[in-house]
Amino acid sequence: MILYDEDEFLQLSGIQHFAFCRRQWALAYIELQWVENIRTAEGRIMHERAHDSGFDEKRGDILITRAMPIHSRTMGVSGECDVVELHRSQDGVPVFGRTEKYLPVPIEYKRGRPKEHNADALQLAAQAMCLEEMLCCDIPFGYLYYGETRHREKVEFDSGLREEVKRIFEEMHKYCRQQYTPKVKISKSCKACSLKDICLPVLNKNPSVKKYIENKIHEKDDME
């Protein structure tokens, strides 16, 4: 089993960017280029509120902690959980200052609404896997809270999702070692990307010969 050193750790939150667009992740995390738009600004503000560690609290049998630092040496990542609910359970783990045992349940805050892809679920599962490694426990589920719907979605951490998390982190480490930025793959999501002006998807994509000839024919027709 490979165990990463701390100086090799990647940012855990990068998995959602990598799953959404590998080029976006490389531009932001390898080339260190980032531009904020309204979506990223709203998301940042929501996370700042969720990460306010001054608001740790207890609600019945649930302890709520915010901005919990997490890491995994087996996956080579580190980050923070927005919120971790500790549910009192016989199957849980000891908590400092408490006589009862608690089961950790990670909760990730997102500004928008549930998406068609599973990038958010991958990030949440990665958080759970870090907590499992740190606390020596099993975490079967967590929640994604969406700001637009003001509703949270339960995510089951099945074996398929866990294997995908591991595979993606391995790929991210490979890209990082090689300092590799993938070429452009244009999609409908490009228009909403905060890095579209840096990425320049239309200019960076080499057109096929057929497309080039068609464009030239259209240009000639327009001139006539």
Side-chain angles (χ1 to χ4, degrees):
M1 177 187 297
I2 297 176
L3 294 178
Y4 291 91
D5 293 328
E6 190 172 339
D7 59 1
E8 297 176 296
F9 284 0
L10 301 177
Q11 291 187 42
L12 182 150
S13 59
I15 191 172
Q16 64 159 332
H17 299 286
F18 193 89
F20 173 72
C21 173
R22 283 157 169 72
R23 180 172 172 81
Q24 183 198 67
W25 173 82
L27 289 172
Y29 291 87
I30 294 179
E31 299 188 14
L32 302 180
Q33 302 188 61
W34 184 253
V35 178
E36 195 160 70
N37 62 13
I38 185 64
R39 291 179 174 84
T40 60
E42 289 176 349
R44 175 177 51 78
I45 292 170
M46 174 175 283
H47 279 85
E48 287 174 353
R49 291 172 178 169
H51 281 213
D52 190 340
S53 58
F55 284 94
D56 290 354
E57 57 185 302
K58 184 177 187 296
R59 297 178 185 174
D61 290 336
I62 300 176
L63 303 178
I64 301 173
T65 185
R66 292 171 169 80
M68 178 183 287
I70 55 175
H71 70 275
S72 166
R73 290 197 64 199
T74 60
M75 296 188 294
V77 295
S78 64
E80 281 187 344
C81 290
D82 286 344
V83 172
V84 177
E85 290 184 352
L86 300 168
H87 295 225
R88 190 164 69 178
S89 169
Q90 292 297 323
D91 299 324
V93 294
V95 173
F96 180 77
R98 302 280 176 175
T99 57
E100 306 90 348
K101 292 183 177 180
Y102 291 85
L103 178 67
V105 178
I107 301 173
E108 174 67 16
Y109 279 65
K110 298 296 180 184
R111 62 159 292 280
R113 57 181 61 248
K115 304 174 181 67
E116 295 179 1
H117 54 74
N118 70 341
D120 293 344
L122 287 166
Q123 182 181 359
L124 184 66
Q127 293 175 2
M129 292 164 71
C130 286
L131 288 168
E132 288 176 335
E133 184 175 321
M134 293 169 59
L135 302 176
C136 298
C137 65
D138 295 320
I139 302 175
F141 65 90
Y143 293 96
L144 291 167
Y145 177 86
Y146 289 97
E148 284 191 18
T149 61
R150 297 191 176 184
H151 180 73
R152 63 186 195 178
E153 304 278 334
K154 186 176 183 179
V155 178
E156 302 281 352
F157 304 134
D158 58 32
S159 59
L161 189 62
R162 291 170 180 271
E163 287 303 315
E164 189 173 359
V165 168
K166 294 177 184 178
R167 179 185 59 77
I168 288 178
F169 280 140
E170 288 175 0
E171 193 174 354
M172 288 167 62
H173 277 286
K174 180 179 178 181
Y175 281 23
C176 194
R177 287 193 300 270
Q178 297 175 346
Q179 293 293 288
Y180 172 66
T181 299
K183 293 182 179 179
V184 172
K185 289 185 179 180
I186 297 177
S187 73
K188 62 181 181 180
S189 302
C190 292
K191 291 183 179 180
C193 179
S194 65
L195 297 182
K196 64 181 179 180
D197 292 333
I198 295 174
C199 183
L200 298 174
V202 175
L203 296 181
N204 284 346
K205 187 171 180 66
N206 295 323
S208 65
V209 174
K210 179 181 177 182
K211 191 68 176 178
Y212 176 83
I213 294 173
E214 289 176 350
N215 289 340
K216 288 299 181 182
I217 292 174
H218 288 313
E219 289 176 6
K220 183 178 180 181
D221 291 341
D222 291 341
M223 291 176 65
E224 295 175 350

